[in-house]
Amino acid sequence: MDSSQRLGRHRWVVERTISWLLAFRRLAIRYDRSATTITAVATLAITIICARRLPRKDY
């Protein structure tokens, strides 16, 4: 059985990720009802989040 300290670590990762996604207003408030549009916007948001977290190389 996992201790409560270990479970807290995983919960924090999930909550942080959801907060990153909800920073994109289009995902927080769903104006579009189609699953295709929501999936496309979520994919775009995840791509932008990952691109921002990549280390930058200054040449």
Side-chain angles (χ1 to χ4, degrees), residues 3-59:
S3 68
S4 61
Q5 291 177 347
R6 288 188 63 194
L7 291 175
R9 264 188 276 162
H10 298 290
R11 181 178 176 180
W12 179 80
V13 171
V14 172
E15 289 176 356
R16 178 195 62 194
T17 306
I18 290 172
S19 72
W20 284 346
L21 286 173
L22 292 181
F24 292 86
R25 206 170 271 290
R26 191 75 143 150
L27 288 174
I29 303 170
R30 291 190 214 155
Y31 297 110
D32 303 315
R33 297 284 182 194
S34 69
T36 306
T37 305
I38 293 171
T39 303
V41 172
T43 304
L44 180 61
I46 292 168
T47 304
I48 292 170
I49 290 168
C50 290
R52 287 179 183 167
R53 297 193 50 82
L54 286 174
R56 296 179 187 254
K57 291 186 178 182
D58 296 325
Y59 292 105

